[in-house]
Every structure is written in C-alpha cells, then in structure tokens.
Amino acid sequence: MPSSVPNKRIRKSPAARRAEIVAAASAVALSEGLECITLRRIAEELAVRPGLISHYFPAVEDLVAEAYGDAVGAELDALLPADRAGASPTRHLARFFARATGPAFDDISRLWLNARHLSRYRPALRERVAVQEAAWRDRLESLIRDGVEQGEFRTDDPMVAAIQILVVLDGLGMLVNSADTEDDPPAVRRLPITTAERELGLAEGALTAADTD
Amino acid sequence: MPSSVPNKRIRKSPAARRAEIVAAASAVALSEGLECITLRRIAEELAVRPGLISHYFPAVEDLVAEAYGDAVGAELDALLPADRAGASPTRHLARFFARATGPAFDDISRLWLNARHLSRYRPALRERVAVQEAAWRDRLESLIRDGVEQGEFRTDDPMVAAIQILVVLDGLGMLVNSADTEDDPPAVRRLPITTAERELGLAEGALTAADTD
DNA sequence: TTGCTTGTTGGTCGCACACTCAATAGCATC
DNA sequence: GATGCTATTGAGTGTGCGACCAACAAGCAA
C-alpha cells in the first residue's frame, strides 16, 4: 500500500482546471509575489505535475499576467463596484479610502509595486498593467463624475482629480516594503484622503466619516 | 599566438578593484536593473572571472545593495547638493524639479521602483533603501527649512511638506515602465511642481522659472 | 462493457545562477 | 634578479528554472 502520494489522477474540464490554476497563481502572487509563480510552485499547490501547468500555459509569463489581472481586478471590484447602488458618491469614496489606506491593502500595494517593476521585463504583464491602470482610473473617474453631477464634488477635471488621487496612493504604496505603514506621521498616512478632499472641494473630514458601512 | 583572450592578468589593489566592481554594478543597475547584477555579468563587464567578484562580495546581495546605494546616492548629490552655495532655496528647488521631472530621471525612477520591490526579498537591500529614503527626505527637508527661514517658503511642517513632494514624485515614478512619460496630460506631469508650490506657499509658476542655471 | 478522446503524468534537456577552493601568476620588495 | 605575498584564475558543485514529449489512464459515448 503506497501510503505516500496515492497518485490518483483527477481529470477536470479544461475550463475548471484553468480557473483553478489561475486562482492558485493569483493567491501566490498576492502573498509571495509574482516571481514565485513557477511551474513547480503552482503545481505543488494544486497537487498536480508541473507539466500540467505548462499544458494550460505554454509560456509562464502568460500565467503571471493572468494571475496579476485576476487579483487586481477582483480588488478593484471590491473597492469600487462597477454598479454603485444605494449609497452616495461621497459614501462610496469614503469606503474606498477606508479600505485603501488600511494595512489590509498592503498586499495589493505590494502586488502593484511588483507588477510595475516586473513589467519592465515582461511584455505580457506590461499590457495587463496598462489595462488595469486604465480600469482603476476610469472607475474612480466615473465615481467622481457622478459626484460632481449630484453636486457633492466640485472639480474642473474629474480625470485629473482621479489620477492625482491614484498617484498619491501609489506614492505611499511605494513604501510598503520599507517602513511599517503605521509609523509615519498621521498627516502622511492621511495624504490620499486630504488630497481627495482638496481636489473635490470637500470639507476636511468629509471622507473619514464613521458611517462608511 | 593565442589572439583570442590573451588572458593577461591585471593585478589591482583591493580598494581599486572593489571600487571598479561597484561602479560597474551601479551602471548595470541603472541601465538594466538590479536583477541583472550577477557574478557573470559584472565579471564580463570588467573582463575578469566570476570568482573574482565572489572574492570581493562573498554574497551577491551585498553587491546589489552597494550598487543601488552608489547610484542613488550620486543622483541625490547631483539633485540636491549637500552644501548649497550661491543660489537661493527657490532656485535650488526649481533646479531639482527641472531634473527630477524630465525623462533624464527615468532611469532613477526605474531604479527606485526596482529597489523598492526587490527589497521585499533582500534584507541587505532593504536596509540601504531605508537609508537612502531618509537621506533624500532629510536633504529636501533641509532645503525647505532654509527656504522658510529666508522667508521664501511658508509651511507649518517642513518634513511633511518634503514627504508629500517625494510621495507625489514616487507616485509618478511608478508609471515609468507602463506609459510614455510624455503622453499624460501636462497637469499630471506637473503634479510634483504644483504640489510643491502649494505646500510651500509659492506663486504658481514660481518653480518653473526659466533661469534655473 | 468496450472503445476512444484527451487530460495528465513522469522523465529529461539545457540553461543560468551563486558559491567554493586549490592552484597560479602579478608585482612590490629586498 | 630572486623572493614572497596575495590578487586572480579555472574548474567544479548543487540548485532551480522553463520547456518539451511520449506514454498513460480517466471517464464519456457507443
């Protein structure tokens, strides 16, 4: 009785297997980084042989790009839902910052940093990064535009305002691997919110209201 | 007559050789990235054998950290000289932005991005990044402080102002591998300058004056 | 139950990497 | 010109990577 590694083959539909692989790679990307997505690593994760990963992704680079897109895309949906029901733009933006400035966002910051650097060498990843950058920008711009229409925000150029907010968010995200997110002055940690309140003509504290649920 | 690779050994003093190695690694870091600093690559660059690099840097990670520190430290000195003679703080800051927002700065942006990501896995590099972060911040803060004393700038907290400027600069630097630096709106490209003028109580355009020599 | 499609395996190849160490040869010193 | 120190070489070790492919077997269809 070969107790170790029964080696029972489990045969799945291509679609299911592929999704499973992307999900595993996405999890590895978030927790350990994109360079840890290797044939052997993902195969081990799913208890299959490395060759199987190669079968679905003949070039690993494509799996890396897919994993990145999956993780970052899911986060965007959680952060800024495509269809905003119920709450006001201000409420949505407050929720956005509540999540995007907390330590729970660190893994995402690391992933962005990771992808932006690695895309220097990986064309497939570079394209995905461009797509996600546009998606994040558009989603935020659209929220701002709604806020302006509803008279909650005031800005000349919603797109520039959106970019400005994201730039500050990215700038702080750059520090995620160096210092503890906790130990810089509050004025610095609140920089994205301050920026947003200023650029959108909001009162100070308008985006930190406690009722962000 | 062995025309190919005469293999003539050239014997140098340890200090000179070490400096030569760091310089070569620093150049590679700037042009190709920190992960291209390998024993073979640097050895080839200097026409020596890989073992020699190992002799001076038993752990490659230390060479990587050194190369990064060398490149980024030199840039800081060019950008914000330690002893500012002659020109006024405003003039110095204008010169700083003239250099730091142009495409000539792209290699430095890439290196910062590279180092900040890679420091996730390399403790020695992480420490160097922390040191350089502090150095850049301190140098800028000191310039701002002087400007305040001389009545040219106006800010409550020079340190927060300095950090804020660097965060915006970093945030834009994040984009260096995705899009052309040229094709985002001028309002975005001028973000660091706008931020500085706002935070330091300067008139719009005060930091873009043509006389930055 | 049989047959067949195809998802999956196991093994292998070549490459690039960091690191080690005894042997070699510049070169300063005498 | 001989000598000794030591900077430098050459050769080798082990690891992990992506990619490739013939052979195998799971599970659906007949």
Side-chain angles (χ1 to χ4, degrees):
Chain A
M1 56 173 78
S3 65
S4 62
V5 191
N7 263 344
K8 184 82 165 77
R9 289 189 186 184
I10 299 175
R11 200 183 164 102
K12 303 194 173 180
S13 82
R17 187 62 94 182
R18 193 185 161 93
E20 194 183 39
I21 291 172
V22 171
S26 173
V28 169
L30 267 173
S31 59
E32 300 169 41
L34 294 169
E35 27 276 288
C36 294
I37 297 179
T38 68
L39 298 180
R40 288 163 176 76
R41 181 75 176 76
I42 303 302
E44 188 189 20
E45 204 77 18
L46 298 175
V48 297
R49 309 271 103 210
L52 186 60
I53 312 296
S54 269
H55 176 71
Y56 286 94
F57 292 90
V60 190
E61 183 183 346
D62 292 328
L63 174 56
V64 171
E66 193 78 13
Y68 156 80
D70 185 71
V72 162
E75 178 67 19
L76 174 58
D77 284 338
L79 222 47
L80 291 172
D83 62 329
R84 297 186 300 282
S88 69
T90 303
R91 196 70 67 87
H92 270 104
L93 197 55
R95 257 177 41 98
F96 170 83
F97 282 119
R99 176 158 186 160
T101 58
F105 197 66
D106 283 359
D107 280 349
I108 297 289
S109 292
R110 275 191 198 92
L111 184 54
W112 270 110
L113 182 56
N114 193 170
R116 286 202 154 106
H117 164 64
L118 199 59
S119 70
R120 174 178 186 174
Y121 307 104
R122 309 276 161 89
L125 181 59
R126 180 157 56 240
E127 286 177 26
R128 280 303 181 100
V129 169
V131 169
Q132 287 295 333
E133 266 173 4
W136 283 57
R137 188 171 350 108
D138 291 348
R139 202 75 73 86
L140 182 55
E141 181 187 339
S142 146
L143 172 59
I144 292 175
R145 213 173 279 280
D146 280 11
V148 170
E149 277 176 17
Q150 298 181 29
E152 295 185 12
F153 304 155
R154 200 176 60 247
T155 176
D156 292 338
D157 189 334
M159 187 184 98
V160 169
I163 293 180
Q164 196 159 348
I165 290 168
L166 290 175
V167 163
V168 172
L169 226 35
D170 281 343
L172 281 182
M174 272 271 216
L175 309 172
V176 77
N177 288 325
S178 343
D180 265 341
T181 320
E182 309 299 342
D183 64 357
D184 18 43
V188 171
R189 220 172 338 145
R190 286 182 40 84
L191 223 48
I193 296 181
T194 312
T195 302
E197 289 169 349
R198 172 175 25 88
E199 293 302 314
L200 301 179
L202 292 170
E204 195 176 322
L207 294 172
T208 7
D211 52 1
T212 56
D213 56 317
Chain B
M1 56 174 79
S3 64
S4 63
V5 192
N7 263 342
K8 184 78 165 77
R9 290 189 187 184
I10 298 177
R11 199 184 165 99
K12 303 194 173 180
S13 81
R17 186 63 93 183
R18 193 184 162 94
E20 195 183 38
I21 291 172
V22 171
S26 172
V28 169
L30 267 173
S31 58
E32 301 170 39
L34 293 169
E35 27 277 288
C36 294
I37 297 178
T38 69
L39 297 180
R40 288 164 177 73
R41 182 74 177 74
I42 303 302
E44 190 189 18
E45 203 78 19
L46 299 174
V48 298
R49 308 271 104 208
L52 186 61
I53 313 297
S54 270
H55 175 72
Y56 286 94
F57 291 90
V60 191
E61 184 184 345
D62 293 328
L63 174 57
V64 171
E66 193 79 12
Y68 157 80
D70 185 70
V72 162
E75 177 68 17
L76 175 58
D77 285 337
L79 223 46
L80 292 172
D83 62 329
R84 295 187 300 283
S88 69
T90 304
R91 196 71 67 86
H92 270 104
L93 197 55
R95 256 177 42 99
F96 170 83
F97 282 119
R99 176 159 185 159
T101 58
F105 197 67
D106 283 359
D107 280 349
I108 296 291
S109 292
R110 275 191 199 92
L111 184 54
W112 270 110
L113 182 56
N114 193 170
R116 286 202 155 106
H117 164 64
L118 199 58
S119 70
R120 174 177 186 174
Y121 307 105
R122 308 277 161 87
L125 181 59
R126 180 158 54 241
E127 286 178 26
R128 280 303 180 102
V129 169
V131 169
Q132 287 294 332
E133 265 172 5
W136 283 57
R137 187 170 352 105
D138 290 349
R139 203 74 75 86
L140 182 55
E141 180 187 340
S142 146
L143 172 58
I144 292 176
R145 212 172 279 281
D146 280 11
V148 170
E149 277 176 16
Q150 298 180 28
E152 296 184 12
F153 304 155
R154 199 174 61 246
T155 176
D156 291 338
D157 190 333
M159 188 184 96
V160 168
I163 293 180
Q164 197 159 345
I165 291 168
L166 290 175
V167 162
V168 172
L169 226 34
D170 280 344
L172 281 184
M174 271 270 216
L175 309 173
V176 77
N177 288 325
S178 343
D180 265 341
T181 320
E182 309 300 343
D183 64 358
D184 17 44
V188 171
R189 219 171 340 143
R190 284 182 43 83
L191 223 49
I193 295 182
T194 312
T195 302
E197 289 169 348
R198 172 176 26 87
E199 292 303 313
L200 301 179
L202 292 170
E204 195 176 321
L207 293 173
T208 6
D211 52 0
T212 54
D213 56 317

